[in-house]
Amino acid sequence: MKILRSLVLIGLLASPLWAGEAGDLVFADRGPWDLPQGPLVWTLHQTGPQTQGFAPLGEGRISLARSTQTADGQAVLELTEETPGVQRRIGPFPVSGGDPALTFFLETITRDMAALTGGSPFYIRNRLKDALFRGGELRPEGDATTAVFAPFKDDKNSGRMAGFDTLELRFTLDDPKRPIRRMLAETGPLAGGRPAYHSEMVLK
Protein backbone atom coordinates (compact mmCIF):
# COMPACT_ATOMS: atom_id res chain seq x y z
CA MET A 1 0.00 0.00 0.00
CA LYS A 2 2.97 2.41 0.42
CA ILE A 3 3.11 3.11 -3.32
CA LEU A 4 -0.60 3.89 -3.51
CA ARG A 5 -0.58 6.03 -0.36
CA SER A 6 2.37 8.13 -1.49
CA LEU A 7 0.72 8.98 -4.78
CA VAL A 8 -2.68 9.65 -3.22
CA LEU A 9 -1.11 12.03 -0.70
CA ILE A 10 0.35 14.24 -3.41
CA GLY A 11 -2.67 13.96 -5.69
CA LEU A 12 -1.19 11.93 -8.54
CA LEU A 13 -4.28 9.74 -8.63
CA ALA A 14 -6.73 12.63 -8.53
CA SER A 15 -8.57 14.08 -11.53
CA PRO A 16 -8.12 17.85 -11.10
CA LEU A 17 -10.40 20.28 -12.85
CA TRP A 18 -7.38 22.13 -14.23
CA ALA A 19 -5.79 19.14 -15.93
CA GLY A 20 -4.61 19.54 -19.52
CA GLU A 21 -5.99 17.41 -22.34
CA ALA A 22 -2.93 15.13 -22.40
CA GLY A 23 -3.17 14.60 -18.65
CA ASP A 24 -6.90 13.94 -18.92
CA LEU A 25 -6.23 11.04 -21.29
CA VAL A 26 -3.46 9.55 -19.17
CA PHE A 27 -5.56 9.76 -16.00
CA ALA A 28 -8.88 8.77 -17.61
CA ASP A 29 -11.19 6.78 -15.34
CA ARG A 30 -10.61 3.18 -16.42
CA GLY A 31 -12.48 1.55 -13.53
CA PRO A 32 -14.16 -0.53 -12.50
CA TRP A 33 -11.56 -3.15 -13.41
CA ASP A 34 -13.58 -6.32 -14.17
CA LEU A 35 -10.78 -8.17 -16.04
CA PRO A 36 -13.16 -10.82 -17.45
CA GLN A 37 -10.39 -12.35 -19.61
CA GLY A 38 -8.00 -12.75 -16.69
CA PRO A 39 -4.98 -10.70 -15.60
CA LEU A 40 -3.57 -7.86 -17.67
CA VAL A 41 0.15 -8.25 -18.36
CA TRP A 42 2.75 -5.64 -19.31
CA THR A 43 6.25 -6.59 -20.36
CA LEU A 44 8.84 -4.59 -18.43
CA HIS A 45 12.18 -3.44 -19.82
CA GLN A 46 14.52 -1.23 -17.82
CA THR A 47 18.15 -0.24 -18.42
CA GLY A 48 20.45 2.31 -16.84
CA PRO A 49 23.69 2.69 -14.92
CA GLN A 50 24.69 0.18 -12.27
CA THR A 51 25.38 2.28 -9.19
CA GLN A 52 25.04 2.22 -5.43
CA GLY A 53 21.36 2.31 -4.56
CA PHE A 54 20.17 1.45 -8.08
CA ALA A 55 20.28 -1.63 -10.26
CA PRO A 56 18.27 -1.76 -13.51
CA LEU A 57 15.39 -4.23 -13.38
CA GLY A 58 16.25 -5.65 -16.81
CA GLU A 59 13.50 -7.74 -18.43
CA GLY A 60 10.37 -8.77 -16.58
CA ARG A 61 6.66 -8.36 -16.38
CA ILE A 62 3.93 -6.62 -14.39
CA SER A 63 0.52 -8.25 -14.08
CA LEU A 64 -2.75 -6.85 -12.73
CA ALA A 65 -5.32 -9.28 -11.36
CA ARG A 66 -8.43 -9.31 -9.20
CA SER A 67 -8.22 -10.87 -5.76
CA THR A 68 -10.62 -11.50 -2.88
CA GLN A 69 -7.97 -11.94 -0.23
CA THR A 70 -9.46 -9.38 2.15
CA ALA A 71 -11.02 -9.84 5.56
CA ASP A 72 -14.50 -8.93 4.31
CA GLY A 73 -14.21 -10.93 1.08
CA GLN A 74 -14.49 -7.87 -1.15
CA ALA A 75 -12.80 -7.91 -4.56
CA VAL A 76 -9.59 -5.87 -4.87
CA LEU A 77 -6.79 -5.52 -7.39
CA GLU A 78 -3.22 -6.65 -6.97
CA LEU A 79 -0.07 -6.09 -9.00
CA THR A 80 2.64 -8.73 -9.33
CA GLU A 81 6.16 -7.65 -10.27
CA GLU A 82 8.43 -10.35 -11.69
CA THR A 83 12.02 -9.54 -12.69
CA PRO A 84 15.31 -11.41 -12.27
CA GLY A 85 15.95 -9.64 -8.97
CA VAL A 86 12.42 -8.96 -7.70
CA GLN A 87 9.40 -11.15 -7.08
CA ARG A 88 6.69 -9.30 -5.17
CA ARG A 89 3.03 -8.43 -4.91
CA ILE A 90 1.85 -4.84 -4.58
CA GLY A 91 -1.54 -3.75 -3.26
CA PRO A 92 -4.35 -4.13 -2.64
CA PHE A 93 -5.88 -1.47 -4.87
CA PRO A 94 -9.60 -0.66 -5.11
CA VAL A 95 -11.42 -2.17 -8.10
CA SER A 96 -13.06 1.15 -8.93
CA GLY A 97 -10.06 3.38 -8.19
CA GLY A 98 -7.23 4.72 -10.33
CA ASP A 99 -4.91 2.79 -12.63
CA PRO A 100 -2.58 0.58 -10.52
CA ALA A 101 -0.16 -0.01 -13.43
CA LEU A 102 0.18 3.74 -13.98
CA THR A 103 0.69 4.21 -10.25
CA PHE A 104 3.48 1.61 -10.28
CA PHE A 105 5.13 3.19 -13.31
CA LEU A 106 5.18 6.71 -11.87
CA GLU A 107 6.38 5.63 -8.46
CA THR A 108 9.16 3.56 -10.07
CA ILE A 109 10.37 6.66 -11.92
CA THR A 110 10.27 8.69 -8.71
CA ARG A 111 12.22 6.07 -6.77
CA ASP A 112 14.80 5.52 -9.51
CA MET A 113 15.40 9.20 -10.18
CA ALA A 114 15.84 9.89 -6.47
CA ALA A 115 18.36 7.03 -6.24
CA LEU A 116 20.34 8.13 -9.30
CA THR A 117 20.42 11.85 -8.53
CA GLY A 118 20.26 12.02 -4.74
CA GLY A 119 17.27 14.33 -5.12
CA SER A 120 14.16 14.55 -2.97
CA PRO A 121 11.42 12.07 -3.94
CA PHE A 122 8.85 14.62 -2.73
CA TYR A 123 10.16 17.26 -5.14
CA ILE A 124 10.33 14.74 -7.98
CA ARG A 125 6.73 13.59 -7.38
CA ASN A 126 5.46 17.15 -7.31
CA ARG A 127 7.20 17.98 -10.58
CA LEU A 128 5.78 14.86 -12.20
CA LYS A 129 2.33 15.88 -10.93
CA ASP A 130 2.64 19.37 -12.38
CA ALA A 131 3.83 18.08 -15.75
CA LEU A 132 1.15 15.42 -16.09
CA PHE A 133 -1.71 17.62 -14.93
CA ARG A 134 -0.78 20.92 -16.54
CA GLY A 135 1.45 20.25 -19.53
CA GLY A 136 2.15 17.71 -22.25
CA GLU A 137 1.22 17.37 -25.88
CA LEU A 138 -0.74 14.84 -27.91
CA ARG A 139 0.72 13.24 -31.04
CA PRO A 140 -1.28 10.96 -33.36
CA GLU A 141 0.53 7.70 -34.15
CA GLY A 142 -1.42 5.39 -36.44
CA ASP A 143 -4.52 4.14 -34.65
CA ALA A 144 -3.30 5.48 -31.30
CA THR A 145 -2.42 8.75 -29.59
CA THR A 146 0.77 9.38 -27.63
CA ALA A 147 0.80 11.84 -24.74
CA VAL A 148 4.30 13.28 -24.29
CA PHE A 149 5.62 15.12 -21.23
CA ALA A 150 8.97 16.70 -20.31
CA PRO A 151 8.57 17.19 -16.55
CA PHE A 152 12.00 18.68 -15.79
CA LYS A 153 12.60 20.79 -18.88
CA ASP A 154 13.75 24.27 -17.77
CA ASP A 155 13.51 23.21 -14.12
CA LYS A 156 15.34 25.62 -11.81
CA ASN A 157 17.25 22.66 -10.33
CA SER A 158 18.18 21.08 -13.67
CA GLY A 159 21.90 21.51 -12.99
CA ARG A 160 21.64 19.09 -10.06
CA MET A 161 19.63 16.43 -11.88
CA ALA A 162 22.59 14.54 -13.34
CA GLY A 163 20.95 14.36 -16.76
CA PHE A 164 17.36 13.70 -15.64
CA ASP A 165 16.41 17.19 -16.82
CA THR A 166 16.13 15.45 -20.23
CA LEU A 167 13.55 12.95 -18.93
CA GLU A 168 10.66 12.39 -21.33
CA LEU A 169 7.51 10.44 -20.56
CA ARG A 170 5.38 8.86 -23.29
CA PHE A 171 2.00 7.18 -22.91
CA THR A 172 0.46 5.40 -25.90
CA LEU A 173 -3.34 5.30 -25.65
CA ASP A 174 -6.40 4.39 -27.66
CA ASP A 175 -9.88 4.23 -26.07
CA PRO A 176 -9.63 6.20 -22.79
CA LYS A 177 -11.46 3.37 -20.99
CA ARG A 178 -8.86 0.81 -22.05
CA PRO A 179 -5.54 0.19 -20.29
CA ILE A 180 -2.56 2.26 -21.42
CA ARG A 181 -0.79 0.38 -24.20
CA ARG A 182 2.72 1.61 -23.52
CA MET A 183 4.41 3.68 -20.82
CA LEU A 184 7.94 4.91 -21.46
CA ALA A 185 10.37 7.02 -19.44
CA GLU A 186 13.79 7.78 -20.90
CA THR A 187 16.61 10.26 -20.63
CA GLY A 188 19.67 11.17 -22.61
CA PRO A 189 23.08 10.00 -21.31
CA LEU A 190 23.43 10.76 -17.61
CA ALA A 191 26.15 12.84 -15.99
CA GLY A 192 29.62 11.36 -15.71
CA GLY A 193 29.28 9.43 -18.96
CA ARG A 194 26.75 7.05 -17.43
CA PRO A 195 24.25 5.28 -19.71
CA ALA A 196 20.80 6.75 -20.25
CA TYR A 197 17.88 5.67 -18.08
CA HIS A 198 15.14 3.74 -19.91
CA SER A 199 12.05 2.23 -18.28
CA GLU A 200 9.21 0.83 -20.39
CA MET A 201 6.00 -1.14 -19.87
CA VAL A 202 4.16 -2.55 -22.90
CA LEU A 203 0.72 -4.18 -22.68
CA LYS A 204 0.63 -7.69 -24.14
Side-chain angles (χ1 to χ4, degrees):
M1 286 295 288
K2 291 177 67 176
I3 290 177
L4 181 60
R5 286 198 191 102
S6 62
L7 291 179
V8 169
L9 286 173
I10 63 167
L12 277 177
L13 292 180
S15 298
L17 296 176
W18 39 267
E21 185 179 3
D24 282 342
L25 287 178
V26 172
F27 285 97
D29 184 3
R30 298 180 176 90
W33 296 80
D34 294 327
L35 307 181
Q37 305 302 318
L40 295 173
V41 178
W42 288 261
T43 58
L44 176 65
H45 175 69
Q46 188 185 85
T47 58
Q50 290 275 356
T51 187
Q52 184 175 0
F54 176 80
L57 294 173
E59 305 286 342
R61 70 179 208 163
I62 303 295
S63 58
L64 175 66
R66 284 173 68 104
S67 172
T68 55
Q69 296 177 1
T70 59
D72 57 5
Q74 294 295 312
V76 294
L77 299 173
E78 188 174 69
L79 287 173
T80 301
E81 178 184 2
E82 301 173 88
T83 66
V86 178
Q87 301 284 321
R88 63 170 176 157
R89 293 182 177 179
I90 307 167
F93 299 86
V95 170
S96 59
D99 184 337
L102 176 61
T103 302
F104 171 85
F105 179 73
L106 293 174
E107 183 61 13
T108 297
I109 296 166
T110 300
R111 179 197 66 204
D112 293 347
M113 182 174 171
L116 288 166
T117 65
S120 163
F122 302 103
Y123 182 83
I124 294 166
R125 288 191 186 103
N126 281 328
R127 292 296 294 145
L128 290 175
K129 176 186 69 175
D130 286 345
L132 291 167
F133 285 166
R134 302 184 189 219
E137 63 175 295
L138 296 175
R139 301 175 185 172
E141 295 186 1
D143 63 345
T145 298
T146 297
V148 183
F149 305 86
F152 300 102
K153 183 180 180 181
D154 301 323
D155 188 282
K156 63 182 180 180
N157 294 304
S158 61
R160 296 188 291 174
M161 290 183 177
F164 266 88
D165 53 302
T166 64
L167 179 69
E168 185 172 271
L169 307 180
R170 291 173 172 260
F171 302 89
T172 303
L173 314 112
D174 43 28
D175 184 333
K177 291 292 290 184
R178 293 178 56 80
I180 299 174
R181 285 191 193 180
R182 179 175 180 249
M183 294 177 263
L184 171 66
E186 62 181 357
T187 70
L190 298 181
R194 295 181 298 170
Y197 173 82
H198 177 103
S199 189
E200 183 176 15
M201 290 172 57
V202 180
L203 185 65
K204 282 189 171 182

mmCIF file of all heavy atoms in Angstrom, residues 21-23 25-26 30 132 135-150 168-175 180-186 200:
data_model
loop_
_atom_site.group_PDB
_atom_site.id
_atom_site.type_symbol
_atom_site.label_atom_id
_atom_site.label_comp_id
_atom_site.label_asym_id
_atom_site.label_seq_id
_atom_site.Cartn_x
_atom_site.Cartn_y
_atom_site.Cartn_z
ATOM 1 N N GLU A 21 -5.377 18.489 -21.556
ATOM 2 C CA GLU A 21 -5.992 17.411 -22.336
ATOM 3 C C GLU A 21 -5.131 16.152 -22.308
ATOM 4 O O GLU A 21 -5.646 15.037 -22.185
ATOM 5 C CB GLU A 21 -6.205 17.872 -23.772
ATOM 6 C CG GLU A 21 -6.954 16.857 -24.615
ATOM 7 C CD GLU A 21 -7.171 17.334 -26.033
ATOM 8 O OE1 GLU A 21 -6.690 18.439 -26.376
ATOM 9 O OE2 GLU A 21 -7.817 16.608 -26.806
ATOM 10 N N ALA A 22 -3.810 16.302 -22.432
ATOM 11 C CA ALA A 22 -2.933 15.134 -22.399
ATOM 12 C C ALA A 22 -3.036 14.427 -21.052
ATOM 13 O O ALA A 22 -3.131 13.200 -20.977
ATOM 14 C CB ALA A 22 -1.488 15.551 -22.678
ATOM 15 N N GLY A 23 -3.026 15.194 -19.977
ATOM 16 C CA GLY A 23 -3.168 14.598 -18.651
ATOM 17 C C GLY A 23 -4.515 13.940 -18.453
ATOM 18 O O GLY A 23 -4.617 12.891 -17.801
ATOM 19 N N LEU A 25 -6.244 12.360 -20.645
ATOM 20 C CA LEU A 25 -6.232 11.042 -21.290
ATOM 21 C C LEU A 25 -5.423 10.038 -20.485
ATOM 22 O O LEU A 25 -5.816 8.879 -20.341
ATOM 23 C CB LEU A 25 -5.674 11.160 -22.706
ATOM 24 C CG LEU A 25 -6.594 11.817 -23.737
ATOM 25 C CD1 LEU A 25 -5.898 11.904 -25.094
ATOM 26 C CD2 LEU A 25 -7.893 11.040 -23.886
ATOM 27 N N VAL A 26 -4.285 10.464 -19.955
ATOM 28 C CA VAL A 26 -3.463 9.547 -19.167
ATOM 29 C C VAL A 26 -4.200 9.113 -17.901
ATOM 30 O O VAL A 26 -4.179 7.935 -17.523
ATOM 31 C CB VAL A 26 -2.116 10.200 -18.807
ATOM 32 C CG1 VAL A 26 -1.336 9.330 -17.816
ATOM 33 C CG2 VAL A 26 -1.286 10.436 -20.072
ATOM 34 N N ARG A 30 -10.536 4.480 -15.762
ATOM 35 C CA ARG A 30 -10.607 3.175 -16.421
ATOM 36 C C ARG A 30 -11.316 2.126 -15.571
ATOM 37 O O ARG A 30 -11.429 0.978 -15.967
ATOM 38 C CB ARG A 30 -9.197 2.708 -16.795
ATOM 39 C CG ARG A 30 -8.530 3.649 -17.774
ATOM 40 C CD ARG A 30 -7.128 3.233 -18.181
ATOM 41 N NE ARG A 30 -6.650 4.160 -19.189
ATOM 42 C CZ ARG A 30 -5.992 5.276 -18.918
ATOM 43 N NH1 ARG A 30 -5.710 5.578 -17.662
ATOM 44 N NH2 ARG A 30 -5.624 6.097 -19.891
ATOM 45 N N LEU A 132 2.224 16.272 -15.586
ATOM 46 C CA LEU A 132 1.149 15.422 -16.089
ATOM 47 C C LEU A 132 -0.207 16.113 -16.030
ATOM 48 O O LEU A 132 -1.075 15.847 -16.872
ATOM 49 C CB LEU A 132 1.102 14.117 -15.298
ATOM 50 C CG LEU A 132 2.289 13.179 -15.545
ATOM 51 C CD1 LEU A 132 2.324 12.085 -14.494
ATOM 52 C CD2 LEU A 132 2.207 12.569 -16.930
ATOM 53 N N GLY A 135 0.718 20.104 -18.282
ATOM 54 C CA GLY A 135 1.449 20.248 -19.532
ATOM 55 C C GLY A 135 1.222 19.076 -20.464
ATOM 56 O O GLY A 135 0.216 18.390 -20.405
ATOM 57 N N GLY A 136 2.211 18.853 -21.325
ATOM 58 C CA GLY A 136 2.146 17.715 -22.249
ATOM 59 C C GLY A 136 1.553 18.083 -23.581
ATOM 60 O O GLY A 136 0.907 19.119 -23.749
ATOM 61 N N GLU A 137 1.803 17.205 -24.551
ATOM 62 C CA GLU A 137 1.215 17.368 -25.877
ATOM 63 C C GLU A 137 0.763 16.019 -26.396
ATOM 64 O O GLU A 137 1.264 14.972 -25.973
ATOM 65 C CB GLU A 137 2.220 18.002 -26.830
ATOM 66 C CG GLU A 137 3.466 17.174 -27.081
ATOM 67 C CD GLU A 137 4.373 17.800 -28.131
ATOM 68 O OE1 GLU A 137 3.929 17.889 -29.299
ATOM 69 O OE2 GLU A 137 5.495 18.184 -27.789
ATOM 70 N N LEU A 138 -0.191 16.051 -27.309
ATOM 71 C CA LEU A 138 -0.740 14.836 -27.905
ATOM 72 C C LEU A 138 -0.252 14.705 -29.337
ATOM 73 O O LEU A 138 -0.298 15.668 -30.105
ATOM 74 C CB LEU A 138 -2.268 14.865 -27.875
ATOM 75 C CG LEU A 138 -2.900 14.878 -26.485
ATOM 76 C CD1 LEU A 138 -4.413 15.043 -26.580
ATOM 77 C CD2 LEU A 138 -2.560 13.606 -25.728
ATOM 78 N N ARG A 139 0.213 13.498 -29.689
ATOM 79 C CA ARG A 139 0.717 13.241 -31.035
ATOM 80 C C ARG A 139 0.013 12.014 -31.601
ATOM 81 O O ARG A 139 0.069 10.930 -30.999
ATOM 82 C CB ARG A 139 2.230 12.991 -31.003
ATOM 83 C CG ARG A 139 3.033 14.140 -30.428
ATOM 84 C CD ARG A 139 4.504 13.786 -30.312
ATOM 85 N NE ARG A 139 5.277 14.835 -29.646
ATOM 86 C CZ ARG A 139 6.546 14.720 -29.290
ATOM 87 N NH1 ARG A 139 7.202 13.581 -29.542
ATOM 88 N NH2 ARG A 139 7.169 15.719 -28.682
ATOM 89 N N PRO A 140 -0.667 12.140 -32.740
ATOM 90 C CA PRO A 140 -1.282 10.963 -33.365
ATOM 91 C C PRO A 140 -0.223 10.023 -33.900
ATOM 92 O O PRO A 140 0.758 10.461 -34.510
ATOM 93 C CB PRO A 140 -2.130 11.564 -34.493
ATOM 94 C CG PRO A 140 -1.495 12.881 -34.796
ATOM 95 C CD PRO A 140 -0.895 13.367 -33.515
ATOM 96 N N GLU A 141 -0.404 8.714 -33.650
ATOM 97 C CA GLU A 141 0.528 7.700 -34.151
ATOM 98 C C GLU A 141 -0.286 6.503 -34.618
ATOM 99 O O GLU A 141 -0.611 5.613 -33.833
ATOM 100 C CB GLU A 141 1.533 7.300 -33.059
ATOM 101 C CG GLU A 141 2.464 8.431 -32.640
ATOM 102 C CD GLU A 141 3.549 7.994 -31.667
ATOM 103 O OE1 GLU A 141 3.587 6.795 -31.328
ATOM 104 O OE2 GLU A 141 4.349 8.844 -31.259
ATOM 105 N N GLY A 142 -0.608 6.471 -35.897
ATOM 106 C CA GLY A 142 -1.423 5.386 -36.441
ATOM 107 C C GLY A 142 -2.807 5.388 -35.830
ATOM 108 O O GLY A 142 -3.510 6.405 -35.857
ATOM 109 N N ASP A 143 -3.201 4.254 -35.252
ATOM 110 C CA ASP A 143 -4.521 4.144 -34.646
ATOM 111 C C ASP A 143 -4.516 4.538 -33.179
ATOM 112 O O ASP A 143 -5.493 4.318 -32.469
ATOM 113 C CB ASP A 143 -5.056 2.716 -34.795
ATOM 114 C CG ASP A 143 -4.186 1.696 -34.059
ATOM 115 O OD1 ASP A 143 -3.046 2.038 -33.684
ATOM 116 O OD2 ASP A 143 -4.647 0.555 -33.869
ATOM 117 N N ALA A 144 -3.424 5.132 -32.709
ATOM 118 C CA ALA A 144 -3.304 5.484 -31.299
ATOM 119 C C ALA A 144 -2.892 6.947 -31.165
ATOM 120 O O ALA A 144 -2.616 7.640 -32.147
ATOM 121 C CB ALA A 144 -2.276 4.583 -30.616
ATOM 122 N N THR A 145 -2.876 7.402 -29.926
ATOM 123 C CA THR A 145 -2.420 8.748 -29.590
ATOM 124 C C THR A 145 -1.356 8.627 -28.511
ATOM 125 O O THR A 145 -1.503 7.849 -27.570
ATOM 126 C CB THR A 145 -3.583 9.603 -29.064
ATOM 127 O OG1 THR A 145 -4.569 9.735 -30.092
ATOM 128 C CG2 THR A 145 -3.098 10.987 -28.653
ATOM 129 N N THR A 146 -0.282 9.386 -28.646
ATOM 130 C CA THR A 146 0.769 9.383 -27.632
ATOM 131 C C THR A 146 0.782 10.720 -26.904
ATOM 132 O O THR A 146 0.842 11.782 -27.536
ATOM 133 C CB THR A 146 2.144 9.115 -28.258
ATOM 134 O OG1 THR A 146 2.143 7.802 -28.847
ATOM 135 C CG2 THR A 146 3.241 9.163 -27.196
ATOM 136 N N ALA A 147 0.679 10.650 -25.587
ATOM 137 C CA ALA A 147 0.801 11.839 -24.737
ATOM 138 C C ALA A 147 2.250 11.948 -24.280
ATOM 139 O O ALA A 147 2.801 10.995 -23.726
ATOM 140 C CB ALA A 147 -0.139 11.729 -23.537
ATOM 141 N N VAL A 148 2.864 13.089 -24.529
ATOM 142 C CA VAL A 148 4.298 13.278 -24.289
ATOM 143 C C VAL A 148 4.495 14.401 -23.268
ATOM 144 O O VAL A 148 3.889 15.473 -23.381
ATOM 145 C CB VAL A 148 5.036 13.618 -25.598
ATOM 146 C CG1 VAL A 148 6.531 13.746 -25.353
ATOM 147 C CG2 VAL A 148 4.754 12.559 -26.661
ATOM 148 N N PHE A 149 5.362 14.155 -22.298
ATOM 149 C CA PHE A 149 5.625 15.122 -21.232
ATOM 150 C C PHE A 149 7.128 15.240 -21.003
ATOM 151 O O PHE A 149 7.851 14.252 -21.086
ATOM 152 C CB PHE A 149 4.975 14.676 -19.918
ATOM 153 C CG PHE A 149 3.497 14.412 -20.019
ATOM 154 C CD1 PHE A 149 3.039 13.155 -20.427
ATOM 155 C CD2 PHE A 149 2.570 15.392 -19.707
ATOM 156 C CE1 PHE A 149 1.678 12.898 -20.517
ATOM 157 C CE2 PHE A 149 1.209 15.141 -19.791
ATOM 158 C CZ PHE A 149 0.757 13.893 -20.199
ATOM 159 N N ALA A 150 7.576 16.454 -20.680
ATOM 160 C CA ALA A 150 8.974 16.700 -20.315
ATOM 161 C C ALA A 150 8.974 17.380 -18.950
ATOM 162 O O ALA A 150 9.061 18.609 -18.847
ATOM 163 C CB ALA A 150 9.657 17.570 -21.365
ATOM 164 N N GLU A 168 11.896 12.281 -20.543
ATOM 165 C CA GLU A 168 10.663 12.388 -21.328
ATOM 166 C C GLU A 168 9.774 11.202 -21.013
ATOM 167 O O GLU A 168 10.246 10.066 -20.945
ATOM 168 C CB GLU A 168 10.964 12.431 -22.828
ATOM 169 C CG GLU A 168 9.731 12.669 -23.682
ATOM 170 C CD GLU A 168 10.066 12.903 -25.142
ATOM 171 O OE1 GLU A 168 10.290 14.079 -25.519
ATOM 172 O OE2 GLU A 168 10.120 11.919 -25.908
ATOM 173 N N LEU A 169 8.499 11.470 -20.813
ATOM 174 C CA LEU A 169 7.507 10.437 -20.560
ATOM 175 C C LEU A 169 6.587 10.339 -21.763
ATOM 176 O O LEU A 169 6.133 11.359 -22.292
ATOM 177 C CB LEU A 169 6.666 10.768 -19.318
ATOM 178 C CG LEU A 169 7.414 11.086 -18.018
ATOM 179 C CD1 LEU A 169 6.408 11.390 -16.915
ATOM 180 C CD2 LEU A 169 8.314 9.936 -17.615
ATOM 181 N N ARG A 170 6.292 9.091 -22.174
ATOM 182 C CA ARG A 170 5.385 8.856 -23.293
ATOM 183 C C ARG A 170 4.355 7.799 -22.902
ATOM 184 O O ARG A 170 4.718 6.744 -22.381
ATOM 185 C CB ARG A 170 6.156 8.365 -24.525
ATOM 186 C CG ARG A 170 7.049 9.416 -25.157
ATOM 187 C CD ARG A 170 7.913 8.813 -26.260
ATOM 188 N NE ARG A 170 8.633 9.819 -26.980
ATOM 189 C CZ ARG A 170 8.273 10.302 -28.169
ATOM 190 N NH1 ARG A 170 7.193 9.830 -28.780
ATOM 191 N NH2 ARG A 170 8.977 11.249 -28.763
ATOM 192 N N PHE A 171 3.096 8.096 -23.193
ATOM 193 C CA PHE A 171 1.997 7.176 -22.909
ATOM 194 C C PHE A 171 1.214 6.969 -24.194
ATOM 195 O O PHE A 171 0.655 7.915 -24.744
ATOM 196 C CB PHE A 171 1.077 7.749 -21.823
ATOM 197 C CG PHE A 171 1.771 8.042 -20.531
ATOM 198 C CD1 PHE A 171 2.363 9.277 -20.294
ATOM 199 C CD2 PHE A 171 1.852 7.068 -19.541
ATOM 200 C CE1 PHE A 171 3.011 9.549 -19.097
ATOM 201 C CE2 PHE A 171 2.502 7.323 -18.339
ATOM 202 C CZ PHE A 171 3.082 8.572 -18.122
ATOM 203 N N THR A 172 1.184 5.731 -24.680
ATOM 204 C CA THR A 172 0.455 5.400 -25.900
ATOM 205 C C THR A 172 -0.925 4.891 -25.521
ATOM 206 O O THR A 172 -1.063 3.923 -24.777
ATOM 207 C CB THR A 172 1.212 4.345 -26.723
ATOM 208 O OG1 THR A 172 2.528 4.837 -27.015
ATOM 209 C CG2 THR A 172 0.484 4.052 -28.024
ATOM 210 N N LEU A 173 -1.971 5.566 -26.050
ATOM 211 C CA LEU A 173 -3.342 5.298 -25.646
ATOM 212 C C LEU A 173 -4.238 5.114 -26.864
ATOM 213 O O LEU A 173 -3.948 5.610 -27.946
ATOM 214 C CB LEU A 173 -3.883 6.471 -24.813
ATOM 215 C CG LEU A 173 -2.981 7.022 -23.712
ATOM 216 C CD1 LEU A 173 -2.518 8.425 -24.073
ATOM 217 C CD2 LEU A 173 -3.680 7.038 -22.382
ATOM 218 N N ASP A 174 -5.348 4.400 -26.642
ATOM 219 C CA ASP A 174 -6.402 4.390 -27.659
ATOM 220 C C ASP A 174 -7.699 4.826 -26.998
ATOM 221 O O ASP A 174 -7.863 5.989 -26.671
ATOM 222 C CB ASP A 174 -6.507 3.042 -28.386
ATOM 223 C CG ASP A 174 -6.404 1.834 -27.468
ATOM 224 O OD1 ASP A 174 -6.764 1.937 -26.292
ATOM 225 O OD2 ASP A 174 -5.967 0.778 -27.935
ATOM 226 N N ASP A 175 -8.655 3.912 -26.792
ATOM 227 C CA ASP A 175 -9.875 4.231 -26.075
ATOM 228 C C ASP A 175 -9.519 4.608 -24.637
ATOM 229 O O ASP A 175 -8.831 3.850 -23.951
ATOM 230 C CB ASP A 175 -10.792 3.005 -26.091
ATOM 231 C CG ASP A 175 -12.150 3.259 -25.456
ATOM 232 O OD1 ASP A 175 -12.247 4.139 -24.571
ATOM 233 O OD2 ASP A 175 -13.108 2.584 -25.837
ATOM 234 N N ILE A 180 -3.593 1.573 -20.636
ATOM 235 C CA ILE A 180 -2.564 2.261 -21.416
ATOM 236 C C ILE A 180 -1.693 1.219 -22.117
ATOM 237 O O ILE A 180 -1.171 0.308 -21.494
ATOM 238 C CB ILE A 180 -1.714 3.159 -20.503
ATOM 239 C CG1 ILE A 180 -2.604 4.223 -19.857
ATOM 240 C CG2 ILE A 180 -0.586 3.832 -21.297
ATOM 241 C CD1 ILE A 180 -1.896 5.066 -18.819
ATOM 242 N N ARG A 181 -1.542 1.367 -23.412
ATOM 243 C CA ARG A 181 -0.785 0.382 -24.204
ATOM 244 C C ARG A 181 0.692 0.336 -23.846
ATOM 245 O O ARG A 181 1.303 -0.722 -23.748
ATOM 246 C CB ARG A 181 -0.876 0.734 -25.700
ATOM 247 C CG ARG A 181 -2.171 0.446 -26.393
ATOM 248 C CD ARG A 181 -1.900 0.616 -27.880
ATOM 249 N NE ARG A 181 -3.116 0.669 -28.671
ATOM 250 C CZ ARG A 181 -3.120 0.821 -29.986
ATOM 251 N NH1 ARG A 181 -1.960 0.923 -30.631
ATOM 252 N NH2 ARG A 181 -4.246 0.860 -30.657
ATOM 253 N N ARG A 182 1.264 1.532 -23.713
ATOM 254 C CA ARG A 182 2.722 1.609 -23.521
ATOM 255 C C ARG A 182 3.036 2.807 -22.643
ATOM 256 O O ARG A 182 2.472 3.895 -22.832
ATOM 257 C CB ARG A 182 3.412 1.753 -24.873
ATOM 258 C CG ARG A 182 4.932 1.880 -24.844
ATOM 259 C CD ARG A 182 5.452 1.898 -26.276
ATOM 260 N NE ARG A 182 6.897 2.014 -26.367
ATOM 261 C CZ ARG A 182 7.530 3.096 -26.820
ATOM 262 N NH1 ARG A 182 6.846 4.164 -27.208
ATOM 263 N NH2 ARG A 182 8.848 3.129 -26.897
ATOM 264 N N MET A 183 3.923 2.605 -21.681
ATOM 265 C CA MET A 183 4.405 3.676 -20.819
ATOM 266 C C MET A 183 5.920 3.683 -20.899
ATOM 267 O O MET A 183 6.563 2.655 -20.661
ATOM 268 C CB MET A 183 3.942 3.450 -19.379
ATOM 269 C CG MET A 183 2.434 3.542 -19.205
ATOM 270 S SD MET A 183 1.876 3.196 -17.510
ATOM 271 C CE MET A 183 1.412 1.459 -17.670
ATOM 272 N N LEU A 184 6.495 4.818 -21.235
ATOM 273 C CA LEU A 184 7.936 4.907 -21.462
ATOM 274 C C LEU A 184 8.503 6.122 -20.743
ATOM 275 O O LEU A 184 7.945 7.219 -20.831
ATOM 276 C CB LEU A 184 8.228 5.014 -22.960
ATOM 277 C CG LEU A 184 9.679 5.317 -23.366
ATOM 278 C CD1 LEU A 184 10.595 4.161 -23.004
ATOM 279 C CD2 LEU A 184 9.764 5.635 -24.853
ATOM 280 N N ALA A 185 9.602 5.920 -20.041
ATOM 281 C CA ALA A 185 10.369 7.015 -19.441
ATOM 282 C C ALA A 185 11.816 6.846 -19.884
ATOM 283 O O ALA A 185 12.403 5.777 -19.689
ATOM 284 C CB ALA A 185 10.275 6.968 -17.918
ATOM 285 N N GLU A 186 12.403 7.884 -20.476
ATOM 286 C CA GLU A 186 13.794 7.775 -20.901
ATOM 287 C C GLU A 186 14.485 9.128 -20.860
ATOM 288 O O GLU A 186 13.851 10.176 -20.990
ATOM 289 C CB GLU A 186 13.907 7.151 -22.293
ATOM 290 C CG GLU A 186 13.245 7.924 -23.399
ATOM 291 C CD GLU A 186 13.379 7.206 -24.742
ATOM 292 O OE1 GLU A 186 14.042 6.147 -24.784
ATOM 293 O OE2 GLU A 186 12.820 7.705 -25.726
ATOM 294 N N GLU A 200 10.333 0.972 -19.461
ATOM 295 C CA GLU A 200 9.212 0.826 -20.395
ATOM 296 C C GLU A 200 8.316 -0.331 -19.991
ATOM 297 O O GLU A 200 8.779 -1.401 -19.611
ATOM 298 C CB GLU A 200 9.773 0.580 -21.803
ATOM 299 C CG GLU A 200 8.743 0.475 -22.884
ATOM 300 C CD GLU A 200 9.375 0.331 -24.268
ATOM 301 O OE1 GLU A 200 10.594 0.030 -24.332
ATOM 302 O OE2 GLU A 200 8.663 0.521 -25.260
#
